[in-house]
Amino acid sequence: MDQLTRILVEKYSPMWTNKQVWEYEQIHEEIKFDVLYVKPGNKEEISWKSKRAYQDNKIREIIIGTFEYLIDGYELWIKNSKGNQSELGKFIPYLMAVIVDTMIDEEICLKFREENNCLIVSIDSQADIIDCKEFFAEFYHLATGFNYNVNTGIPDDETEAEIYLTRLQEEFDENMKAKLGEKYLPGNKDPDSINIDQ
C-alpha cells in the first residue's frame, strides 16, 4: 500500500463500514463537498473555477459521474463546500469509506493524502494484487482481485469456486464481526439491501 495512504489509514482507523456510512448519511442528508480534478504536479491548475471543478456535490454522485478523470490519471481534490476548511478532517473517514465503496466493484486500489486542507485521491497504478488485498482489507472488504497471470487458488470449476469464495466471505465476516461487533454487517452491505434480502 502507498505510504501516505497507510499513514492516513492509521490516523483514521478503524475505517468506517458501510453501515456507519449509511447511518451517517441518514443524519447528514445534505452533506456536500467541492471537488477539483488536477493533473499531478500541476499546482498552477488548482483553480476552483476551472471546468474540472464541481461545487457543492455529493461525493458518491460526483465520482460515479466523473470516474474517467481518475482513469486518465487526474488527482481528485476534495474540500469542505461550507467554506470552513479547517473542518475537513472530521469528514475524511466518511470520504475515504464512500470513495472506496464506490470503487470496490472496479477493484481499484487508491492513494489518499492530505494537502492544503484537502483530501486528495488518485488511482494507485503501481499497486499489485497484494497491495490491493491489503488496501481493501483496511476498509473491511474482501477483495478477491483476480490476476489472471497468477494462480489465485480459486478452483476452476464454477461450483467449487463459488463454495470457495463463499467460505472466504464467511471467514472474513466472522473475523470482522469479532473485531467490530455490531458495527459490521455480513458481507458489509448497507442496511437497505440486507432488509431486501430477507
Side-chain angles (χ1 to χ4, degrees):
M1 189 189 318
D2 170 72
Q3 288 305 309
L4 292 176
T5 304
R6 188 186 305 278
I7 289 168
L8 270 190
V9 165
E10 289 173 2
K11 180 176 179 181
Y12 293 105
S13 281
M15 294 291 100
W16 285 16
T17 65
N18 283 347
K19 181 179 181 182
Q20 289 172 289
V21 168
W22 182 84
E23 290 171 345
Y24 190 79
E25 288 178 341
Q26 300 311 298
I27 297 167
H28 304 91
E29 291 181 22
E30 296 305 313
I31 186 167
K32 294 184 179 177
F33 300 90
D34 294 342
V35 303
L36 171 67
Y37 285 95
V38 178
K39 275 287 189 188
N42 290 350
K43 301 283 188 187
E44 65 275 4
E45 280 192 18
I46 301 173
S47 167
W48 294 93
K49 297 185 187 307
S50 90
K51 65 179 182 179
R52 288 186 300 275
Y54 301 87
Q55 309 293 320
D56 205 30
N57 282 276
K58 293 192 173 185
I59 196 67
R60 193 182 306 270
E61 293 171 4
I62 201 69
I63 288 185
I64 290 169
T66 59
F67 176 66
E68 67 276 2
Y69 282 128
L70 284 173
I71 293 293
D72 289 342
Y74 284 85
E75 293 179 334
L76 173 63
W77 289 55
I78 305 167
K79 70 175 185 173
N80 186 352
S81 65
K82 299 302 181 201
N84 187 352
Q85 297 313 308
S86 63
E87 290 190 9
L88 184 68
K90 71 180 183 181
F91 297 116
I92 288 179
Y94 165 78
L95 287 167
M96 291 172 73
V98 169
I99 293 166
V100 170
D101 181 55
T102 303
M103 304 292 271
I104 192 110
D105 287 341
E106 308 295 334
E107 293 184 348
I108 291 175
C109 193
L110 300 173
K111 295 195 295 188
F112 293 103
R113 74 178 194 276
E114 288 180 278
E115 187 176 322
N116 296 334
N117 295 316
C118 293
L119 176 65
I120 302 166
V121 184
S122 60
I123 292 176
D124 189 350
S125 57
Q126 304 301 311
D128 60 20
I129 191 169
I130 304 300
D131 292 324
C132 286
K133 286 181 183 294
E134 181 185 20
F135 175 82
F136 285 111
E138 290 295 341
F139 292 85
Y140 311 118
H141 290 289
L142 177 60
T144 56
F146 292 97
N147 182 333
Y148 293 103
N149 298 323
V150 176
N151 180 5
T152 61
I154 299 171
D156 292 331
D157 179 77
E158 188 175 334
T159 303
E160 289 179 18
E162 188 173 328
I163 292 168
Y164 174 80
L165 293 172
T166 300
R167 183 178 55 78
L168 281 182
Q169 182 67 57
E170 287 170 354
E171 287 174 3
F172 185 82
D173 286 338
E174 286 174 19
N175 291 337
M176 289 300 104
K177 189 74 171 172
K179 186 173 183 178
L180 295 172
E182 292 303 314
K183 289 182 185 176
Y184 186 74
L185 292 174
N188 203 20
K189 299 177 182 175
D190 66 62
D192 288 336
S193 64
I194 292 284
N195 294 333
I196 289 169
D197 292 343
Q198 294 176 347

